[in-house]
């Protein structure tokens, strides 16, 4: 079955989200908006200036659809602006997500504190058990010495075993930070054959993602950390002429499971105060030679 044809209503949400992620959070030049939205909808290649008539018509109908719903307005200067209602929705949603994020952080801290308390109790019990064992061994050693006192002789082999047991008890829980620290999951650990392997919530094994509503001051390290250090390549979406950042990017992650996890757990999360949007971005025919980019 062929791919469903894109409808004007399909561009409504990308238009609203792109306006929300604009520099002032409410308006953009019509041509800039059209280019950014068509790239996000995979109707225009990144860096291309040639927009076909059908795509222009589709975008125009989507704008009219949103104007009719009073969600946006287009003035005589060719500037598209969000309605006050839509701008207030953005503020309300961001506030709610911020409150949810704060509650989640508090729960994590409480859980971590409770876990630490339980470990301390377990360690205290373990220390108590070790002391009891040592006392018993000393008593046992004293009884042996008393029994052999008449001959004024101690079995050195038995005594060595007792001393050795004491040392093992003392080393039962070594405190080595290097050993206790978790190993970092690196790209080299992923077999190429498994990179695009279909998995739950990602049946096509897609590893390229489209990220929208990004903060304009976001950096590669910050974005990579937010995606749990799974990004291998980043392609920022900018204006070819001005170099202006649109608040969107394509990223390649290590494997299909990382992509599925990002869609399920990170999509909609707050990054520097903005709820980011994540979508799968499967490659179109002919893009294989240009993706992933040569450098991260």
């Amino acid at each position: 079955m062929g791919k469903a044809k894109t409808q004007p209503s399909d561009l409504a949400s990308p238009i609203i989200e792109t306006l929300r992620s604009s520099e002032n959070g409410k308006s953009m030049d019509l041509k800039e908006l059209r280019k950014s939205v068509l790239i996000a909808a995979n109707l225009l290649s990144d860096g291309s200036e040639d927009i076909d008539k059908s795509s222009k018509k589709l975008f125009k109908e989507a704008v009219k659809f949103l104007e009719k719903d009073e969600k946006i307005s287009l003035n005589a200067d060719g500037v598209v602006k969000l309605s006050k209602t839509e701008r207030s929705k953005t503020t309300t949603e961001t506030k709610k997500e911020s409150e949810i994020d704060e509650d989640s952080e508090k729960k994590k801290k409480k859980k971590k504190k409770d876990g630490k308390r339980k470990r301390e109790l377990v360690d205290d019990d373990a220390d108590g058990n070790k002391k009891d064992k040592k006392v018993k061994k000393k008593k046992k050693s004293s009884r042996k010495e008393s029994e052999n006192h008449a001959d004024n002789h101690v079995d050195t082999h038995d005594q060595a075993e007792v001393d050795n047991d004491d040392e093992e008890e003392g080393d039962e829980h070594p405190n080595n930070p290097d050993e206790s620290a978790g190993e970092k999951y690196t790209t080299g650990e992923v077999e190429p054959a498994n990179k695009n392997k279909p998995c739950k919530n990602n049946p096509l094994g897609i590893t390229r993602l489209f990220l929208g509503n990004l903060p304009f001051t976001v950096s590669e390290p910050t974005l990579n950390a937010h995606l749990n250090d799974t990004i291998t390549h980043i392609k920022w979406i900018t204006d070819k002429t001005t170099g202006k950042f649109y608040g969107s990017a394509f990223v390649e992650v290590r494997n299909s499971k990382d992509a599925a996890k990002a869609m399920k757990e990170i999509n909609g999360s707050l990054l520097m105060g903005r709820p980011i949007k994540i979508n799968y971005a499967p490659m179109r025919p002919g893009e294989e030679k240009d993706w992933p980019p040569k450098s991260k």
Side-chain angles (χ1 to χ4, degrees):
M1 184 179 291
K3 185 177 179 181
K5 186 178 180 181
T6 304
Q7 301 297 323
S9 57
D10 296 332
L11 298 183
S13 180
I15 289 174
I16 296 295
E17 293 303 328
T18 303
L19 287 170
R20 286 176 175 173
S21 63
S22 64
E23 192 168 358
N24 60 17
K26 62 181 180 180
S27 64
M28 282 183 72
D29 176 76
L30 179 65
K31 291 183 179 179
E32 287 187 7
L33 176 63
R34 179 176 63 192
K35 183 177 179 181
S36 182
V37 169
L38 292 180
I39 289 174
N42 285 329
L43 296 175
L44 179 67
S45 299
D46 184 20
S48 174
E49 297 294 334
D50 299 325
I51 304 175
D52 57 62
K53 290 183 179 180
S54 61
S55 296
K56 287 182 178 179
K57 183 179 179 182
L58 193 68
F59 177 79
K60 186 176 181 181
E61 291 176 354
V63 170
K64 287 182 177 179
F65 172 77
L66 289 171
E67 280 187 300
K68 186 177 180 181
D69 278 1
E70 296 183 352
K71 292 185 177 180
I72 64 172
S73 61
L74 174 62
N75 63 24
D77 296 325
V79 175
V80 182
K81 183 181 293 185
L82 278 174
S83 67
K84 290 184 179 180
T85 304
E86 288 301 312
R87 292 203 298 271
S88 64
K89 282 183 181 179
T90 303
T91 304
T92 303
E93 289 173 2
T94 302
K95 184 177 180 181
K96 286 182 179 178
E97 289 177 358
S98 178
E99 290 174 351
I100 292 172
D101 193 56
E102 288 178 2
D103 290 340
S104 178
E105 190 64 28
K106 287 180 181 178
K107 289 179 181 179
K108 285 181 181 179
K109 287 182 179 180
K110 185 178 184 300
K111 187 176 180 181
K112 186 176 180 180
K113 187 175 181 180
D114 291 342
K116 183 179 179 181
R117 189 176 299 151
K118 287 180 181 179
R119 287 195 298 272
E120 289 175 349
L121 291 174
V122 170
D123 290 341
D124 289 342
D125 290 340
D127 289 340
N129 291 335
K130 284 192 288 184
K131 289 179 181 178
D132 290 341
K133 288 180 181 178
K134 287 184 178 181
V135 170
K136 290 179 181 178
K137 286 176 182 176
K138 286 181 180 180
K139 287 182 179 179
K140 183 178 180 181
S141 177
S142 297
R143 284 198 301 270
K144 286 185 178 180
E145 290 180 3
S146 297
E147 291 171 356
N148 294 305
H149 183 69
D151 297 327
N152 204 13
H153 175 267
V154 176
D155 190 330
T156 55
H157 178 71
D158 290 341
Q159 186 61 40
E161 287 183 344
V162 173
D163 293 340
N164 187 52
D165 287 343
D166 286 341
E167 290 177 2
E168 290 177 356
E169 289 292 336
D171 293 335
E172 188 174 343
H173 297 287
N175 184 17
N176 190 330
D178 293 333
E179 292 179 5
S180 62
E183 294 183 358
K184 289 186 177 180
Y185 190 86
T186 63
T187 307
E189 296 175 9
V190 181
E191 292 293 336
N194 295 328
K195 177 177 172 64
N196 297 101
K197 186 176 181 180
C199 63
K200 186 177 180 181
N201 298 324
N202 190 359
L204 298 180
I206 298 169
T207 54
R208 187 170 75 160
L209 301 172
F210 174 79
L211 277 57
N213 201 32
L214 296 173
F216 283 87
T217 57
V218 69
S219 63
E220 283 188 14
T222 301
L223 184 60
N224 189 31
H226 195 69
L227 266 71
N228 300 320
D229 295 323
T230 61
I231 295 177
T232 61
H233 298 84
I234 297 177
K235 177 70 173 179
W236 304 107
I237 298 178
T238 58
D239 185 273
K240 188 176 181 180
T241 305
T242 64
K244 186 178 179 181
F245 177 45
Y246 282 120
S248 306
F250 286 103
V251 301
E252 181 77 9
V253 293
R254 297 178 304 187
N255 53 50
S256 55
K257 288 186 177 180
D258 288 334
K261 189 174 182 180
M263 284 289 294
K264 183 180 179 181
E265 299 179 7
I266 305 176
N267 184 24
S269 63
L270 289 180
L271 174 59
M272 298 170 68
R274 282 183 177 269
I276 66 171
K277 307 298 179 183
I278 302 177
N279 287 303
Y280 289 122
M283 283 188 287
R284 295 178 295 177
E287 288 186 332
E288 294 85 354
K289 65 181 184 299
D290 298 320
W291 190 267
K294 294 180 180 180
S295 62
K296 183 172 179 182

